[in-house]
Amino acid sequence: MDKREQEPQWYELARKGPFPEMKFTEEAAGEVARQIGMDGSSLNQVLPSGRWRRAIRLRILSAAVILLLFGAGAVYWGSGWSGQPGGFNPLQVSSAGIIDPPVAGQADLTDEGLKATAEQVMLEQLGDKLPFASLERLKEPEEGIATVDFKEGDYYATVWINTETGEVFRTNMFTFFTPEEIDSKFIDEAMDQLRNAGYKGKFTVTGLKHFVHYGTNDDELGVQTDDLLMGNEGQIDYENGVYRSSTFSMGENEVTAEVKQTGLKAIKLFREQGTERLYSISRTVATKGDILVLKYGESERMATTVLMDYSTQDIIQVEDMALYDGNSFTSADPSTNLLNMDKAKLQLAAAAIADEMFGIRLEDYRFVKEMSGIGTIAFKSRDGATVITGSYNMDGVFYMMQQTDAFE
């Protein structure tokens, strides 16, 4: 029972807070891909029939799918100017994400023809045109497949095409739009979502991030998107064309001293020695949750993050990156493999933290699962309603503890 399977996806946004790293590297792209469900399955997928595709098109037309993108610049909410009418609106281009397969025997299967097909799909799904980088016809065991790549800086689009039929069956793309390139109507709608989430300040839009993929997993019907409207004060998140959450920064005077002390008490369960400096405060409001995020430490990279329920002030998760050991994930020595640690000792160590943090008795919980090789262990309450998940380093010291509702 992976903690990522147990928690809402927007928990990750809450952990990152309103000021994520703006430079979208290939490593970051891979992380986003993992978050939204890319499973690395074979490229040789069963291609859907034209009828099935047209049925998907009808579904896509009835639900907003493609979303947002990012860049630099400034758009001030309430200043009377935001984007431009007729600029990029991800909700309007969502219905153009899928094209019908070519008529048998009529597809242009030359390199130029495959490139033209890929460019068309890029424009429809990404809403942008990136410079052509390469075209490769793969060899065995993936013979019959071509990959067409477009790239500009950190932004990219890759299209997989069946070289025998000319049909596009997979895409993976990322780009951005500056504030001036975004449709002002879309920004206005996003600002309404932010206002409804409880934000009362002036929001400075800095751009729109847009990540899209298609044909990756068998259970995904159509184009999949994960997008953020970015601002100096926070971010607004959409998934597959549907609003998911808003994250925005808060001042220290907007939370009580009791809340701050609760956060400090929680992190001291992991290690007694450590900074007490409150680095930042933010709030993530989603359709099914409201989370307060306190970060303690001297920098964003090594901060200790405390997630609390905004209304009840109950602790949801604590993650102390100073205790994280990256070598724990790469050790090949069986004597130092995380999976070889004593489960009973791990439960005792976890209970020393979880019992006080969550007001429970972890010894009454049953062991559920340990994730292979990554040092994460999970326990479920006897009634099956709650899951306690903990991540530990090579010394058996926990650096993350989380309580979530069980999702059967």
Side-chain angles (χ1 to χ4, degrees):
M1 189 173 298
D2 189 345
K3 69 176 181 178
R4 299 303 187 202
E5 296 174 354
Q6 291 298 309
E7 66 185 29
Q9 291 181 356
W10 48 269
Y11 271 28
E12 184 64 25
L13 291 177
R15 273 186 290 270
K16 291 180 179 179
F19 307 111
E21 174 62 44
M22 291 298 290
K23 183 175 175 58
F24 199 88
T25 63
E26 290 185 2
E27 180 182 359
E31 178 62 24
V32 172
R34 286 189 291 275
Q35 288 179 26
I36 65 176
M38 290 191 172
D39 61 2
S41 58
S42 170
L43 298 180
N44 292 290
Q45 302 180 32
V46 177
L47 298 180
S49 67
R51 179 177 299 178
W52 188 79
R53 276 181 172 250
R54 284 188 289 273
I56 292 178
R57 182 189 288 275
L58 291 176
R59 292 193 181 192
I60 301 300
L61 285 170
S62 64
V65 178
I66 298 185
L67 285 178
L68 310 125
L69 303 88
F70 88 104
V75 179
Y76 295 94
W77 176 26
S79 67
W81 185 82
S82 57
Q84 61 175 332
F88 180 78
N89 188 328
L91 304 184
Q92 291 181 351
V93 301
S94 62
S95 62
I98 296 176
I99 61 173
D100 289 326
V103 176
Q106 294 187 13
D108 185 348
L109 303 179
T110 66
D111 285 0
E112 285 302 314
L114 297 179
K115 176 184 174 183
T117 297
E119 286 180 340
Q120 176 189 352
V121 173
M122 174 175 56
L123 287 171
E124 291 177 343
Q125 292 191 6
L126 194 62
D128 196 5
K129 184 176 181 180
L130 303 177
F132 173 75
S134 66
L135 186 153
E136 180 182 5
R137 292 177 182 263
L138 305 182
K139 303 182 185 302
E140 293 185 359
E142 297 176 340
E143 188 176 3
I145 295 174
T147 60
V148 187
D149 290 296
F150 304 87
K151 187 174 179 62
E152 184 173 34
D154 294 322
Y155 315 113
Y156 59 87
T158 301
V159 180
W160 286 260
I161 305 177
N162 184 313
T163 58
E164 296 178 356
T165 66
E167 183 171 6
V168 172
F169 64 91
R170 187 180 182 190
T171 66
N172 182 16
M173 308 180 191
F174 171 77
T175 191
F176 76 94
F177 291 107
T178 64
E180 295 83 358
E181 296 171 324
I182 307 170
D183 190 336
S184 59
K185 293 181 179 179
F186 176 76
I187 293 179
D188 290 343
E189 178 180 323
M191 293 306 103
D192 287 341
Q193 298 283 7
L194 189 63
R195 187 184 296 108
N196 291 337
Y199 183 74
K200 296 180 175 61
K202 177 178 287 188
F203 192 88
T204 309
V205 175
T206 55
L208 188 62
K209 292 184 178 181
H210 175 57
F211 182 88
V212 56
H213 71 97
Y214 166 68
T216 302
N217 302 320
D218 293 337
D219 59 347
E220 294 173 345
L221 300 180
V223 176
Q224 305 293 305
T225 61
D226 193 62
D227 304 274
L228 294 174
L229 183 64
M230 307 300 299
N232 290 337
E233 302 80 14
Q235 58 205 41
I236 306 166
D237 176 48
Y238 291 78
E239 181 180 30
N240 290 344
V242 179
Y243 168 77
R244 186 165 64 181
S245 65
S246 296
T247 298
F248 48 89
S249 58
M250 300 177 64
E252 284 198 43
N253 61 340
E254 295 183 75
V255 297
T256 65
E258 181 181 3
V259 166
K260 299 173 189 176
Q261 287 301 314
T262 298
L264 277 175
K265 181 180 179 181
I267 63 176
K268 287 186 178 299
L269 294 174
F270 289 77
R271 57 187 175 108
E272 183 61 33
Q273 300 299 320
T275 180
E276 296 187 355
R277 177 173 179 261
L278 184 56
Y279 181 82
S280 68
I281 306 173
S282 61
R283 180 181 173 190
T284 295
V285 183
T287 52
K288 294 184 179 180
D290 192 343
I291 291 182
L292 185 66
V293 184
L294 307 178
K295 291 192 176 184
Y296 294 83
E298 300 301 323
S299 69
E300 185 77 19
R301 182 175 295 274
M302 295 302 293
T304 300
T305 304
V306 179
L307 272 59
M308 304 171 62
D309 183 285
Y310 182 78
S311 300
T312 66
Q313 299 178 8
D314 292 336
I315 297 291
I316 297 173
Q317 175 185 295
V318 176
E319 188 170 37
D320 188 345
M321 294 310 296
L323 299 175
Y324 167 81
D325 180 7
N327 294 326
S328 299
F329 293 79
T330 58
S331 175
D333 185 350
S335 65
T336 58
N337 190 294
L338 288 166
L339 295 181
N340 291 337
M341 293 189 177
D342 188 294
K343 303 301 182 295
K345 290 182 178 180
L346 284 175
Q347 185 158 1
L348 286 175
I353 299 173
D355 287 5
E356 185 170 350
M357 184 181 296
F358 303 127
I360 63 170
R361 282 172 49 90
L362 193 62
E363 65 181 72
D364 295 334
Y365 282 54
R366 57 187 174 87
F367 169 76
V368 179
K369 188 176 184 181
E370 185 172 20
M371 299 306 297
S372 177
I374 64 172
T376 296
I377 193 167
F379 306 89
K380 182 179 285 189
S381 59
R382 294 296 176 181
D383 61 6
T386 306
V387 171
I388 302 296
T389 309
S391 295
Y392 55 91
N393 60 26
M394 195 65 71
D395 296 324
V397 175
F398 282 87
Y399 63 86
M400 189 285 295
M401 195 71 65
Q402 174 182 270
Q403 177 177 248
T404 57
D405 294 334
F407 297 95
E408 301 293 346

